[in-house]
């Protein structure tokens, strides 16, 4: 029966004679729509001949625009393709093979583009590629969108046309030729045969032209040593997968040593197989990535490192050059190297000709299989002697025209003042640069250079690798390549593309031009090299008497900053150094003993931040003031470390003008200097993340063992000897944690189920995965002040652990020896202090995507939930920022948006301007203020893989799934995939006896698992 009740919404409706109610009943819109504001005034509208159909179009669009404005949504004008390029499909990524060659980093890479915008760097994994993109290479895509780039050429500081630039340069070249003046082309290592040919063409046309190669970080001594043995300047190549014993003397070969890229081969030998793994002994002053991964690390001063090299030489060759070193660890390493024979290899980073020559002699004597001079690296070919001669000639007034490309000597030369003085005596100076940097500002012509992603080119990274550079976007500004200018100055009408295509034809080893462009490189024949006689005994005698004069200062490059070319890149500035965990700074590293002697201190403050003293460092007559001090466990007593690449001021955002310029101490291009250090006034605040989100005090974090224990356990089947399964109390009985559950389990065997495997043996802590995650997932940069407040937004962190004893096994023994309350307190307090020479473990930690996730049970708005494929999801528009989930997460991997980082002047990084935002990935939401965010296991990538397979009418192939971190990991430490696919690599890794989960006793059942760290016995 129908109800006769009358419902009303307002008291006014009870008044039957209300005119207001009657009006509201009959009118859908209370006020007239202001159509005249959209379409013009009423008179012109009434007299128009607009059809009804057109009128509805206009009104429809205008109403929609007005609605958007009412919601405060910005209206962004889009211009559709008139003729859409065939290769561009909206919403689908395209990949182009190219090569980065900036003078410091060289690698074959793939560039991911969306609608014509390069947004991400990937590794080129084709057979024969020189891959191994590091953190800087991954971040280079952001430098393309740097708003402080030089946007057009300038003459005497004023904007000019390229015609004016070419006219002035050609006039200067002609004048130099007429007057017999000297023309110098000063470039970084381009390793480009076609550019060398263009410079030769310039020489042929104008006569007195000299090409000088200058690299800010010099490898001159290594190049000279190689040349003395093999007849040409190059760097020896190494394949560490072929070595059983690796001895490194001051060479961070897992970092930037001689171009890097050695971690993939190294990691292959470091994963225990058939009871064996390679043995790595590191002799060094600074704690480095290589030292952190070593089985045995021997901290020594630079002088003693040279003597250690002589001891290795004596053991291998049977020589008896006396050193007086008397170090048992070095003697043992020498015997192990000799016993390995051709399976041994020695490398050195000592900036000394004799040390480099001695290493070549040792490897030749060993007939080392890992030593590969035939495929020598043709990179970092700067000539320190030629650069010094150039500065002298400039000051003598002998240089008429100086043309520079890819160099910034005003900033990076140790004798910068002399260079600036000489620059004033040069009649014409031209600086090709992507920035109006220190050198471009002081040059008569600042030529706006294109970014490598806007350029054509070729590169010979090694003797067997001829690579191509191709643009992935048209130049964003009025820029030109250096090669285009060379063509114009030699009156060559060809475009550089045509010139390059013709030149490359004879270097492609049978590949077509299109095939080489597709692959990014061609593998060419590299004949075997024959070594000339190596007079290593003379070098050994010189090194044997090496002595330290004061403290040994070792200048090095951070894996985040390199030589400083990308100092204005916020991704790299905020990247925590793998060893110190400090971002936004460089600093002098010093041992605890030396720090106490100089009254230098570090201390933590209440918010977990790290503070420290300032120091003054003196090398010869040069003084560097206000250098922050970082007391570094593992730093050799009697040594200091300081990284290059910081302290830049020009073409830099104010927030990124950080650090001190260590190049001023780089006397005579030598990374090893004698120095003194004294306390200075003031207190420095570091942005150090080491004490943030710590898992300290909890079990099942890092598991490590020795190879002998590992092998014994595998023989007897007692895996619990090195990988004990956690137990909990159930009804007062010890029960395996995996057998006890608070949650209801579900069948996850149907469909995909994603897991991520992380092998602690293969992880080198390089951080490429951190930057790749930044790029793929639009992770914001928050700045030094916010990082110091524990508010960094990295979805992926790499925890670094030190042992308090010489080994982690020693930590266990010390812990178990504690007896009683007071003994335990004093024991655990002492274990907070790292050893003077600690063992180190790196552990990448991201959201563990727990199948039984504590975060999901406490979210009051169901913003975080579990997907059927194993991923823990975040619905940002549901999140209200209670942060209950972060509090309930045992892994501390959730990040809270304290501020709006996008389009906010308070955070003046790439998300604050339209150009910088071009790097954003459109597949990933840009999060707003007040929400939790975290690793999504790159769900957009797994979905794209499934869609691609579906479109091609096939099943997803085994190991086709990837995340940003797994794709970036060149060492193979990270493997992602579907564990329900039993043929996949991740499914097989999940069955390994080394597999364990973080905090497994909690019962969260993560979808990320780790492999026990195995080290060789001491």
């Amino acid at each position: 029966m129908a109800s006769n009740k009358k419902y009303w919404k307002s008291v006014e409706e009870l008044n039957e004679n209300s005119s207001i109610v009657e009006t509201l009943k009959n009118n859908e819109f209370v006020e007239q729509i202001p159509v005249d504001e959209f379409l013009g005034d009423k008179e012109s509208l009434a007299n128009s001949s607009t059809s009804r159909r057109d009128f509805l179009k206009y009104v429809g669009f205008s109403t929609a625009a007005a609605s958007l404005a009412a919601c405060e949504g910005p209206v962004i004008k889009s211009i559709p393709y008139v003729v859409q390029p065939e290769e561009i499909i909206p919403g689908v990524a395209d990949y182009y093979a190219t090569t980065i060659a900036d003078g410091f980093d060289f690698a074959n890479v793939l560039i991911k583009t969306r609608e014509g915008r390069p947004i991400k760097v990937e590794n080129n994994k084709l057979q024969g590629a020189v891959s191994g993109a590091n953190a800087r290479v991954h971040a280079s895509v952001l430098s393309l969108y740097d708003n402080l780039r030089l946007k057009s050429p300038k003459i005497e500081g004023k904007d000019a046309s390229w015609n004016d630039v070419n006219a002035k340069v050609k006039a200067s070249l002609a004048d130099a030729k007429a007057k017999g003046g000297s023309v110098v082309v000063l470039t970084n290592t381009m390793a480009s045969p076609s550019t060398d040919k263009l410079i030769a063409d310039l020489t042929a046309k104008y006569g007195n032209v000299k090409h000088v190669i200058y690299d800010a970080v010099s490898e001159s001594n290594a190049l000279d040593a190689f040349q003395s043995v093999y007849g040409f300047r190059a760097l020896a190549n190494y394949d560490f997968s072929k070595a059983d014993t690796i001895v490194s003397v001051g060479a961070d070969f897992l970092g930037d040593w001689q171009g890097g890229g050695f971690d993939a081969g190294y990691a292959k030998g470091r994963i225990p197989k058939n009871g064996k793994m390679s043995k790595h002994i590191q002799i060094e002053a600074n704690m480095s990535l290589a030292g952190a991964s070593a089985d045995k690390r021997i901290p020594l001063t630079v002088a003693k490192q040279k003597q250690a090299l002589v001891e290795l030489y004596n053991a291998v060759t049977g020589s008896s050059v006396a050193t007086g070193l008397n170090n048992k660890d070095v003697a043992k390493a020498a015997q192990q190297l000799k016993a390995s024979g051709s399976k041994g290899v020695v490398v050195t980073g000592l900036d000394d000709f004799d040390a480099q020559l001695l290493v070549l002699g040792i490897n030749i004597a060993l007939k080392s299989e890992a030593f590969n001079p035939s495929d020598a690296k043709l990179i970092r070919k700067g000539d320190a002697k030629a650069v010094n001669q150039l500065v002298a000639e400039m000051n003598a007034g002998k240089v008429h025209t100086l043309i520079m490309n890819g160099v910034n000597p005003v900033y990076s030369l140790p004798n910068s003042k002399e260079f600036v003085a000489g620059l004033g005596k040069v009649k014409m100076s031209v600086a090709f640069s992507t920035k109006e940097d220190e050198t471009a500002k002081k040059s008569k012509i600042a030529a706006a250079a294109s970014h490598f992603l806007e350029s054509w080119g070729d590169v010979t990274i090694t003797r067997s690798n001829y690579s191509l550079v191709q643009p992935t976007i048209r130049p964003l500004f009025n820029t030109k390549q250096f090669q285009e200018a060379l063509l114009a100055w030699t009156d060559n009408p060809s475009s550089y593309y045509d010139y390059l295509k013709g030149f490359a034809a004879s270097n492609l080893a049978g590949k077509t031009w299109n095939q080489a462009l597709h692959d990014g490189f061609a593998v060419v024949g590299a004949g075997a090299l024959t070594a000339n006689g190596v007079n290593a005994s003379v070098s050994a005698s010189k090194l044997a008497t090496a002595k330290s004069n004061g403290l040994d200062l070792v200048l090095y490059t951070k894996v985040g900053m390199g030589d400083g070319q990308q100092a204005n890149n916020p991704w790299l500035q905020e990247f925590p150094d793998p060893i110190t965990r400090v971002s936004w700074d460089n600093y002098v590293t010093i041992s605890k003993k030396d720090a106490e002697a100089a009254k230098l201190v570090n201390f933590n403050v209440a918010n977990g931040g790290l503070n420290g003293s300032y120091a003054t460092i003196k090398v010869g007559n040069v003084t560097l003031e206000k250098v922050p001090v970082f007391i570094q466990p593992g730093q050799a007593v009697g040594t200091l470390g300081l990284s290059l690449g910081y302290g830049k001021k020009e073409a830099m955002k104010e927030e990124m003008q950080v650090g001190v310029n260590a190049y001023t101490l780089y006397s005579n291009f030598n990374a090893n200097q004698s120095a003194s250090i004294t306390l200075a006034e003031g207190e420095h605040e570091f942005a150090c993340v080491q004490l943030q989100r710590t898992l300290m005090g909890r079990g099942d974090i890092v598991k490590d063992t020795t190879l002998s224990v590992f092998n014994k356990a595998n023989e007897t089947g007692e895996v619990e000897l090195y990988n004990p399964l956690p137990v909990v109390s159930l009804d007062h009985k010890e029960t395996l944690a995996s057998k006890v559950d608070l949650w209801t389990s579900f069948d996850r065997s149907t469909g995909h189920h994603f897991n991520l495997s992380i092998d602690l043996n293969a992880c080198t802590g390089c951080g490429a995965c951190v930057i790749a995650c930044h790029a793929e997932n639009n992770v914001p940069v928050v700045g030094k002040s916010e990082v110091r407040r524990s508010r960094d937004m990295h979805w992926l962190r790499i925890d670094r652990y030190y042992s308090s004893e010489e080994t982690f096994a020693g930590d266990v023994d010390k812990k178990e020896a504690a007896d009683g309350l007071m003994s335990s307190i004093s024991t655990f307090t002492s274990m907070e202090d790292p050893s003077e020479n600690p063992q180190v473990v790196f552990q990448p930690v991201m959201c563990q995507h727990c199948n039984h996730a504590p975060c999901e049970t406490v979210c009051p708005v169901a913003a975080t939930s579990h997907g059927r494929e194993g991923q823990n999801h975040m619905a940002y528009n549901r999140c209200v920022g209670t942060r209950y989930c972060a509090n309930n997460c045992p892994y501390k991997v959730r990040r809270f948006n304290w501020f709006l980082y996008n389009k906010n002047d308070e955070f003046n990084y790439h998300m604050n301007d339209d150009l910088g935002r071009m790097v954003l990935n459109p597949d990933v939401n840009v999060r707003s203020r007040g929400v939790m965010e975290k690793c999504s296991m790159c769900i957009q990538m797994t979905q794209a893989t499934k869609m691609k397979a579906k479109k091609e009418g096939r099943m997803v192939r085994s190991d086709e799934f990837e995340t940003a971190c797994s794709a970036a990991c060149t060492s193979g430490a990270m493997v992602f995939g579907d564990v329900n696919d039993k043929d996949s690599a991740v499914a097989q890794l999940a069955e390994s006896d080394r597999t364990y989960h973080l905090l497994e006793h909690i019962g969260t059942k993560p979808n990320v698992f780790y492999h026990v760290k195995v080290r060789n016995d001491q």
Side-chain angles (χ1 to χ4, degrees), residues 33-296:
I33 299 174
V35 178
D36 55 315
E37 293 182 17
F38 298 143
L39 301 178
D41 59 81
K42 293 179 180 179
E43 287 73 17
S44 60
L45 181 62
N47 297 326
S48 72
S49 59
T50 305
S51 68
R52 179 174 178 274
R53 182 186 296 263
D54 289 338
F55 174 79
L56 291 175
K57 283 182 185 177
Y58 293 133
V59 171
F61 173 79
S62 303
T63 307
S67 300
L68 283 171
C71 297
E72 298 184 358
V75 179
I76 301 174
K77 296 179 180 178
S78 298
I79 302 173
Y81 292 114
V82 177
V83 179
Q84 181 177 315
E86 291 182 6
E87 65 273 16
I88 293 180
I89 301 173
V92 177
D94 288 309
Y95 293 83
Y96 296 92
T98 189
T99 304
I100 183 172
D102 63 7
F104 193 72
D105 291 311
F106 297 81
N108 297 133
V109 294
L110 301 179
I111 305 298
K112 178 183 179 181
T113 67
R114 281 295 302 270
E115 287 74 55
R117 294 179 296 115
I119 63 170
K120 191 164 182 289
V121 176
E122 303 274 10
N123 282 298
N124 187 334
K125 297 183 179 180
L126 289 178
Q127 184 71 30
V130 178
S131 193
N134 56 32
R136 297 184 301 273
V137 175
H138 281 282
S140 63
V141 67
L142 182 59
S143 297
L144 170 68
Y145 302 115
D146 188 341
N147 202 36
L148 294 183
R149 281 182 58 187
L150 189 55
K151 298 177 176 65
S152 65
K154 292 185 176 183
I155 299 177
E156 304 287 355
K158 297 179 180 179
D159 288 341
S161 69
W162 281 104
N163 287 336
D164 292 339
V165 169
N166 288 337
K168 280 191 171 291
V169 175
K170 288 177 73 173
S172 180
L173 290 169
D175 185 55
K177 182 178 181 180
K179 295 178 179 177
S182 172
V183 177
V184 177
V185 178
L186 180 66
T187 72
N188 59 2
T189 299
M190 294 181 288
S192 169
S194 65
T195 307
D196 291 342
K197 178 65 168 59
L198 284 170
I199 295 174
D201 294 344
L202 189 75
T203 305
K205 183 174 179 65
Y206 293 103
N208 192 16
V209 177
K210 181 167 65 173
H211 183 199
V212 177
I213 301 176
Y214 162 57
D215 293 329
V217 179
S218 175
E219 299 281 2
S220 263
N221 285 312
L223 292 162
D224 291 344
F226 189 92
Q227 184 175 23
S228 71
V229 177
Y230 294 102
F232 65 98
R233 287 172 68 80
L235 299 172
N237 211 341
Y238 297 87
D239 182 354
F240 292 108
S241 67
K242 298 179 179 179
D244 287 345
T245 302
I246 303 164
V247 181
S248 170
V249 182
D252 185 10
F253 60 86
L254 297 180
D256 292 335
W257 176 75
Q258 296 191 1
F262 301 109
D263 49 347
Y266 173 81
K268 288 179 183 177
R270 295 293 289 168
I271 297 173
K273 293 178 182 176
N274 302 320
K276 294 183 178 181
M277 60 182 286
S278 62
K279 188 176 184 72
H280 173 196
I281 301 151
Q282 185 80 11
I283 304 171
E284 62 183 6
N286 298 348
M287 173 69 82
S288 67
L289 288 181
S293 294
D295 296 305
K296 179 66 177 178

Side-chain angles (χ1 to χ4, degrees), residues 338-617:
K338 180 183 179 182
S340 296
S342 64
K343 289 292 184 180
V345 66
V346 180
V347 293
T348 186
L350 291 172
D351 215 347
D352 183 283
F353 173 84
D354 292 302
Q356 296 291 339
L357 189 65
L358 198 64
V359 163
L360 295 176
I362 292 172
N363 287 322
I364 291 170
L366 284 170
K367 297 181 180 178
S368 172
E369 296 176 22
F371 175 62
N372 185 16
S374 295
D375 194 25
K377 304 178 83 169
L378 305 178
I379 61 173
R380 297 197 184 176
K381 297 177 73 173
D383 191 335
K385 294 176 184 175
V387 174
N388 286 333
Q389 183 182 349
L390 169 63
V391 174
E393 290 176 354
M394 288 168 62
N395 280 282
K398 295 181 180 179
V399 178
H400 182 284
T401 301
L402 178 64
I403 300 168
M404 294 171 282
N405 177 60
V407 295
N408 186 7
V410 175
Y411 158 70
S412 58
L413 266 180
N415 54 340
S416 172
K417 291 181 179 178
E418 293 178 32
F419 182 85
V420 172
L423 199 62
K425 299 176 182 179
V426 174
K427 291 186 178 180
M428 172 58 70
S429 54
V430 185
F432 274 81
S433 176
T434 58
K435 300 280 195 67
E436 195 173 6
D437 55 26
E438 290 81 354
T439 302
K441 269 191 173 296
K442 292 190 177 296
S443 299
K444 292 183 173 63
I445 297 177
S450 299
H451 190 269
F452 86 94
L453 293 176
E454 303 168 321
S455 306
W456 287 101
D458 61 349
V459 187
T460 49
I461 303 178
T462 69
R463 292 184 72 218
S464 67
N465 178 282
Y466 180 77
S467 301
L468 293 176
V469 182
Q470 67 170 319
T472 58
I473 190 173
R474 286 188 177 183
L476 298 173
F477 308 113
N478 183 22
T479 60
K480 285 189 181 294
Q481 292 183 236
F482 176 54
Q483 292 86 350
E484 292 180 83
L486 290 175
L487 286 166
W489 300 340
T490 54
D491 298 320
N492 190 326
S494 298
S495 68
Y496 181 50
Y497 167 79
D498 292 331
Y499 186 94
L500 175 65
K501 187 176 180 181
F503 178 88
S506 59
N507 292 277
L508 299 180
K511 282 189 179 180
T512 64
W513 170 256
N514 287 342
Q515 184 65 46
L517 272 184
H518 172 272
D519 296 348
F521 65 94
V523 176
V524 297
L529 296 179
T530 302
N532 301 321
V534 183
N535 194 0
S537 58
V538 175
S539 293
S541 299
K542 292 180 182 178
L543 296 172
T545 58
K547 293 181 180 179
S548 294
N549 181 18
L551 294 172
D552 286 339
L553 172 65
V554 179
L555 299 169
Y556 69 100
T557 56
K558 282 190 180 185
V559 294
M561 191 53 60
D563 63 353
Q565 290 185 54
Q566 296 191 71
N568 202 45
N569 190 312
W571 288 352
L572 295 176
Q573 287 284 9
E574 193 144 301
F575 172 72
D577 182 76
I579 300 293
T580 64
R581 311 293 288 129
V582 173
S583 60
W584 292 98
D585 258 319
N586 69 336
Y587 34 78
V588 58
T589 57
I590 187 171
S591 70
K592 187 176 182 179
K593 182 177 180 179
D594 290 329
E596 289 173 348
K599 298 181 179 179
L600 302 169
V601 296
N602 280 160
F603 56 93
N604 290 101
V605 292
N607 67 356
L610 178 72
N611 290 10
S613 305
Y614 281 114
T616 299
I617 301 176

Side-chain angles (χ1 to χ4, degrees), residues 917-982:
R917 281 192 293 272
M918 287 180 71
V919 81
L920 295 177
N921 183 358
D923 293 333
V924 179
N925 184 37
V926 176
R927 284 75 63 188
S928 186
R929 182 189 179 203
V931 303
M932 297 299 303
E933 59 178 84
K934 60 160 195 77
C935 161
S936 67
M937 215 174 253
C938 289
I939 188 170
Q940 71 279 1
M941 293 179 68
T942 55
Q943 290 298 103
T945 301
K946 288 189 288 186
M947 291 299 292
K948 180 182 178 183
K950 184 176 181 180
K951 181 181 176 182
E952 295 175 2
R954 59 174 175 80
M955 299 289 288
V956 178
R957 291 186 288 267
S958 289
D959 303 323
E960 189 175 0
F961 288 113
E962 278 192 310
T963 57
C965 56
S966 68
C969 184
T970 54
S971 68
M974 291 183 173
V975 178
F976 177 76
D978 179 6
V979 289
N980 286 343
D981 175 6
K982 299 307 176 185

Side-chain angles (χ1 to χ4, degrees), residues 615-644:
T616 299
I617 301 176
K618 189 173 183 181
V619 172
N621 296 321
V622 181
T623 300
L624 189 59
E625 299 179 342
K626 300 287 284 186
V627 184
V629 174
F630 189 93
I631 299 174
Q632 175 63 57
Q635 184 81 30
V637 176
T639 69
L640 306 171
L642 183 59
S643 65
L644 302 163

Side-chain angles (χ1 to χ4, degrees), residues 711-882:
N711 288 339
K712 179 183 177 182
N714 287 339
E715 289 172 7
T716 61
E718 299 174 279
V719 176
E720 61 273 10
L721 287 175
Y722 68 87
N723 190 11
L725 296 176
V727 294
V728 295
S729 177
L730 179 65
D731 297 331
H732 305 288
K733 296 178 182 178
E734 281 194 351
T735 307
L736 286 175
S738 58
K739 303 293 185 184
V740 181
D741 220 328
L742 294 176
W743 288 271
T744 302
S745 293
F746 297 91
D747 179 16
R748 304 185 185 278
S749 61
T750 303
H752 301 297
H753 190 75
F754 296 116
N755 272 203
L756 176 63
S757 166
I758 302 176
D759 195 325
L760 299 183
N761 263 54
C763 179
T764 63
C766 70
C769 54
V770 175
I771 301 299
C773 178
H774 246 306
E776 177 66 31
N777 294 298
N778 301 334
V779 176
V781 174
V782 300
K784 180 177 180 178
S785 177
E786 293 300 300
V787 171
R788 185 172 164 82
R789 289 179 171 87
S790 304
R791 293 176 178 173
D792 72 289
M793 296 300 293
H794 290 113
W795 285 11
L796 164 61
R797 70 178 191 263
I798 302 179
D799 287 338
R800 183 264 299 126
Y801 293 96
Y802 291 141
S803 63
S804 65
E805 300 297 305
E806 287 287 318
T807 64
F808 282 103
D811 285 5
V812 175
D813 294 339
K814 184 175 182 180
K815 180 179 68 174
E816 291 179 347
D819 184 23
L821 176 62
M822 299 311 296
S823 174
S824 296
I825 291 174
S826 61
T827 297
F828 283 106
T829 300
S830 68
M831 290 181 72
E832 297 292 320
D833 190 18
S835 163
E836 288 186 1
N837 183 26
Q839 284 189 337
V840 185
V841 174
F842 297 111
Q843 185 175 57
V845 180
M846 65 294 291
C847 175
Q848 302 291 291
H849 295 272
C850 310
N851 288 315
H852 295 163
C855 56
E856 296 169 10
T857 58
V858 295
C859 181
V861 292
T864 183
S865 59
H866 210 69
R868 63 179 298 153
E869 295 179 340
Q871 293 147 319
N872 176 257
H873 296 171
M874 273 299 304
Y876 300 123
N877 59 341
R878 293 187 65 91
C879 180
V880 294
T882 64

